Each structure stands twice: as structure tokens, then as C-alpha cells.
């Protein structure tokens, strides 16, 4: 090999070594720097936090659906931290409901009550407890002044049903092994779906009343001689009550005309309308009496005893510094089907 060729090969090798050294240097520069060790600082000692234990039946009153409450009023019912410790205590040993099978439903009562120095209309939650070995009813009544006739429908039609309530301490247990003593009237209608609901269907929920029929006692409707009249007149309907035993139809109609509640040209049509309503009411009363008589004949002694011993308890919230005082508005009346409670708590 010539001297010039040797020098050229040596020069090439040196260049390759320099490139390799440069690449190694770049790799070293790309490596992350070692993290600096933090100086240990002593943590300030935190004060221990104490949380109040949840009561076993604390959410029971909320679990019972407030039947008949307007959907847009539901949030206002829960704006206060209502205390139903009286309901919880009733299930303890020595309480009114201890060891008994109980069916609960909720409702609300708008009342003018004092709160923080002024009187306010508050939607007060109420819980009704029915002591019974079987569900008091599987039906719901739909009624209001605006509706021409009441409807008695299946609870399931309104997405309602009696479901077992599981106390807090048993919620980790296997459901099929539990013996249920408390049942609540629940509603599975989702609020988010209300926007797609027709107005008439939506309003039905606001007119719902838990239905109850006591076969051992003659119903007030069976004895009633009054009919609600909603006559579709122009320019406005005629709303009135007609008693077929106390009122004389001719005089009754003339009085409405005198008071400008009814147009004179509609007199005969109104009278026929009232007569038809009276016939319907008398027929309904007769059918109710016959149905009650048949039910009693077919009823077992155990069922009769259950109806005789059935008790209704009405629970109002207990007064606390954070909630309105409802002590002066408590009333025994539940609704037109259940009548009055045996006891108010």
C-alpha cells in the first residue's frame, strides 16, 4: 500500500471516532438529571375528625314517595333538613310500630307557618303509617275539583307500588334472607322523562291520593246525596254541588240564572245534565253497597279481624332550630279515602 493511501485510511478512522464520540456525548446530555432530594418537613398534627353515625332509619321518611305533590314542588319539600326521629323511635322497642308490619306513604301539606321571624307558606312533608298484615290497597284515586269524575286505577298504572324498605344496618345483607317489616309506597317515574309526558298524564300525578276501602264501614259516598256538577256552559263552565234530597231542581236552576252563573237559554240543558249526574251517582252508590255486601260475605274471619285492627298513624316532622314550627298545623285528616288517623305524632 502507498504512503498516501495509509494516511487517508488513518484520517477516515479518526473522523469515525470523532462522530461516535459526539453521538455518545449527545446521549449523555439527553439523559434526565437526577432528582434533587426533598428536605423532609414535619407535618403539622391534624385534629381528629368526628362524624356522627347515621341512624338506622334516618332516610325512611324520604324513601316514602310524597303522593300527590306537584313535581315542581318536590325540591322545596327537601330544602329543609326535616327531622322524623319520632317515626324512627316508633319502630324501637316500646314504640307504636315496634314488631309490627307497617305500610308507609308520604304526602305534603302546604301551610302558613312561622320561620325565622316571619310567616311563610311551606310544603310540609307528612308520613302516614298503616299497621296491617297485608297491603291496605293496590289502587290509587285520582280526583280534583277540575276533573269531572274521580278515577280509581291500579298503582302500577301510575308506576307506584309497595316495596320493602331495608334499614341501613341490613343493606349489606342478602336480600332474599331478610324478613321485611316495613314497606313504602314507591314511585319509579323518572323526573327527566316528564318533559315528554302529555299534560293530562302529568297532572294525574298531582291529583293522586292513596286509595283505601274499608269494607266493614259504610263509605261516605254510599250515604252521600250530593253530586259535583261541572256543566260545560259558555262563556264559562258552571261549578256547583246539587243535593237530590235537599235541593229542588227548578228552584236550584232559577237561582243560578238570577246570580248570572247560568244563561237562561241553557236552563233545560242544565236540568237534564243534573238529572243524568244524579242517576249516575245513585247507581254508583247502589253498586258500592252491593260490592261491600258481597265482599263481607266472601271475607274470611282472619281478614275481617285484620281490617278491624288496622291502625293509621300520621307523623309530622319534629321541631328543630333549623326547620319551621309545624306544631300548630297538625291535623288528623289524611285524605277522603283514609279519613282520619287514629293518632297524630
Amino acid at each position: 500500500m502507498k504512503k498516501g493511501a495509509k494516511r487517508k485510511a488513518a484520517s477516515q478512522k479518526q473522523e469515525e471516532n470523532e462522530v461516535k464520540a459526539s453521538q455518545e456525548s449527545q446521549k449523555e446530555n439527553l439523559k434526565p438529571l437526577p432528582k434533587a432530594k426533598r428536605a423532609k418537613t414535619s407535618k403539622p398534627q391534624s385534629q381528629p375528625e368526628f362524624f356522627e353515625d347515621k341512624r338506622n332509619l334516618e332516610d325512611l321518611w324520604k324513601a316514602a314517595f310524597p303522593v300527590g305533590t306537584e313535581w315542581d314542588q318536590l325540591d322545596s319539600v327537601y330544602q329543609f333538613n326535616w327531622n322524623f326521629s319520632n317515626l324512627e323511635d316508633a319502630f324501637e322497642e316500646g314504640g307504636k310500630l315496634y314488631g309490627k308490619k307497617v305500610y308507609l306513604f308520604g304526602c305534603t301539606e302546604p301551610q302558613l307557618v312561622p320561620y325565622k321571624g316571619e310567616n311563610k307558606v311551606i310544603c310540609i312533608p307528612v308520613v302516614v303509617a298503616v299497621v296491617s298484615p297485608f297491603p291496605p290497597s293496590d289502587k290509587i284515586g285520582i280526583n280534583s275539583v277540575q276533573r269531572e269524575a274521580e278515577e280509581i286505577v291500579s298503582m302500577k298504572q301510575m308506576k307506584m307500588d309497595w316495596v320493602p324498605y331495608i334499614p341501613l344496618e341490613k343493606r349489606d345483607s342478602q336480600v332474599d334472607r331478610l324478613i321485611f317489616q316495613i314497606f313504602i309506597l314507591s314511585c319509579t317515574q323518572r323526573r327527566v322523562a316528564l318533559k315528554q309526558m302529555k299534560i293530562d298524564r302529568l297532572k294525574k300525578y298531582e291529583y293522586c291520593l292513596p286509595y283505601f276501602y274499608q269494607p266493614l264501614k259504610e263509605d261516605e259516598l254510599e250515604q252521600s246525596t250530593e253530586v259535583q256538577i261541572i256543566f260545560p256552559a259558555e262563556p264559562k263552565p258552571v261549578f256547583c254541588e246539587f243535593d237530590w234530597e235537599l235541593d229542588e231542581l227548578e228552584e236550584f236552576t232559577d237561582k243560578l240564572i238570577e246570580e248570572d252563573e247560568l244563561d237562561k237559554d241553557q236552563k233545560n240543558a242544565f236540568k237534564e245534565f243534573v238529572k243524568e249526574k244524579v242517576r249516575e251517582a245513585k247507581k254508583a252508590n247502589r253498586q258500592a253497597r252491593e260490592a261491600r255486601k258481597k265482599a263481607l260475605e266472601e271475607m274470611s274471619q282472619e281478614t275481617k279481624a285484620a281490617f278491624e285492627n288496622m291502625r293509621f298513624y300520621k307523623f309530622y316532622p319534629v321541631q328543630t332550630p333549623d326547620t319551621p314550627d309545624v306544631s300548630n298545623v297538625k291535623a288528623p285528616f289524611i285524605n277522603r279515602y283514609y279519613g282520619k288517623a287514629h293518632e297524630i305524632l
Side-chain angles (χ1 to χ4, degrees):
M1 186 182 286
K2 292 181 181 179
K3 288 182 181 179
K6 283 181 181 179
R7 281 197 300 273
K8 192 174 181 181
S11 174
Q12 253 181 342
K13 195 169 185 179
Q14 188 179 351
E15 281 179 13
E16 285 174 7
N17 289 338
E18 284 176 0
V19 169
K20 196 179 281 186
S22 174
Q23 286 174 342
E24 292 295 329
S25 174
Q26 286 177 19
K27 282 181 183 177
E28 287 296 324
N29 290 337
L30 289 171
K31 283 183 182 178
L33 293 171
K35 290 183 180 178
K37 290 184 179 178
R38 283 185 184 172
K40 287 185 179 179
T41 56
S42 58
K43 289 183 180 178
Q45 259 191 332
S46 59
Q47 293 293 324
E49 289 187 65
F50 295 98
F51 296 97
E52 191 177 337
D53 289 337
K54 283 198 171 184
R55 302 187 302 274
N56 195 30
L57 305 177
E58 188 173 347
D59 64 350
L60 177 56
W61 76 271
K62 286 184 180 178
F65 181 68
V67 186
T69 305
E70 295 180 18
W71 289 105
D72 58 2
Q73 292 295 313
L74 280 178
D75 291 334
S76 70
V77 175
Y78 305 115
Q79 66 178 314
F80 299 105
N81 187 25
W82 298 105
N83 184 318
F84 276 87
S85 56
N86 53 345
L87 175 62
E88 298 166 41
D89 293 342
F91 286 96
E92 298 294 330
E93 191 169 353
K96 300 280 184 187
L97 308 177
Y98 178 71
K100 297 173 181 175
K101 185 171 277 191
V102 181
Y103 294 83
L104 300 174
F105 64 83
C107 55
T108 52
E109 297 179 358
Q111 297 283 3
L112 186 67
V113 292
Y115 181 62
K116 291 187 176 179
E118 56 180 312
N119 289 330
K120 289 186 175 182
V121 176
I122 304 291
C123 216
I124 302 165
V126 176
V127 177
V128 176
V130 181
V131 176
S132 171
F134 48 75
S137 175
D138 62 353
K139 292 181 172 56
I140 286 287
I142 303 172
N143 203 352
S144 75
V145 176
Q146 290 82 6
R147 298 179 71 86
E148 287 189 27
E150 71 172 347
E151 285 183 78
I152 309 297
V153 300
S154 164
M155 282 183 177
K156 286 183 168 53
Q157 191 174 319
M158 301 306 293
K159 294 191 176 181
M160 297 183 197
D161 203 357
W162 297 108
V163 298
Y165 171 82
I166 305 174
L168 190 65
E169 65 184 17
K170 294 182 179 177
R171 287 180 190 172
D172 293 330
S173 308
Q174 284 186 295
V175 175
D176 57 347
R177 293 185 180 179
L178 294 175
I179 298 172
F180 299 109
Q181 290 297 117
I182 306 173
F183 293 81
I184 54 170
L185 186 55
S186 175
C187 179
T188 58
Q189 174 60 55
R190 295 181 304 130
R191 290 177 72 180
V192 291
L194 297 176
K195 291 178 182 177
Q196 285 77 41
M197 195 178 287
K198 291 182 178 178
I199 295 294
D200 185 57
R201 169 76 176 170
L202 186 65
K203 287 290 179 186
K204 278 188 176 183
Y205 280 95
E206 297 173 10
Y207 303 144
C208 280
L209 292 173
Y211 179 78
F212 178 71
Y213 177 64
Q214 172 56 280
L216 306 183
K217 182 181 175 184
E218 191 173 15
D219 194 292
E220 285 183 13
L221 293 177
E222 293 175 38
Q223 306 171 43
S224 175
T225 57
E226 287 185 353
V227 284
Q228 299 284 334
I229 303 295
I230 305 175
F231 180 64
E234 292 295 338
K236 62 175 184 176
V238 177
F239 294 90
C240 58
E241 286 183 0
F242 179 80
D243 188 317
W244 67 74
E245 285 192 353
L246 300 178
D247 297 321
E248 201 280 316
L249 184 54
E250 187 74 22
E251 291 178 6
F252 186 86
T253 308
D254 288 341
K255 190 175 180 183
L256 287 174
I257 294 169
E258 286 173 19
E259 294 172 350
D260 292 328
E261 293 292 329
L262 178 69
D263 191 89
K264 192 174 181 180
D265 295 339
Q266 296 176 313
K267 180 177 178 177
N268 289 335
F270 176 78
K271 286 168 65 177
E272 288 304 315
F273 185 84
V274 173
K275 286 176 185 177
E276 180 59 30
K277 290 297 176 185
V278 168
R279 280 192 292 269
E280 289 175 5
K282 286 181 177 180
K283 182 181 177 182
N285 287 4
R286 186 174 63 256
Q287 288 175 340
R289 282 192 293 269
E290 290 170 358
R292 186 169 63 84
K293 184 180 177 182
K294 185 181 178 184
L296 283 171
E297 289 171 354
E298 297 174 352
M299 192 178 291
S300 68
Q301 288 302 315
E302 290 80 7
T303 305
K304 281 183 183 177
F307 274 110
E308 286 171 355
N309 297 320
M310 207 174 275
R311 290 290 177 270
F312 309 149
Y313 297 93
K314 192 176 179 185
F315 291 85
Y316 282 88
V318 173
Q319 188 180 352
T320 68
D322 301 325
T323 54
D325 180 8
V326 304
S327 56
N328 291 326
V329 295
K330 294 181 181 181
F333 186 73
I334 299 171
N335 66 33
R336 64 190 298 268
Y337 304 116
Y338 276 84
K340 293 180 180 179
H342 294 94
E343 194 170 341
I344 306 173
L345 295 108

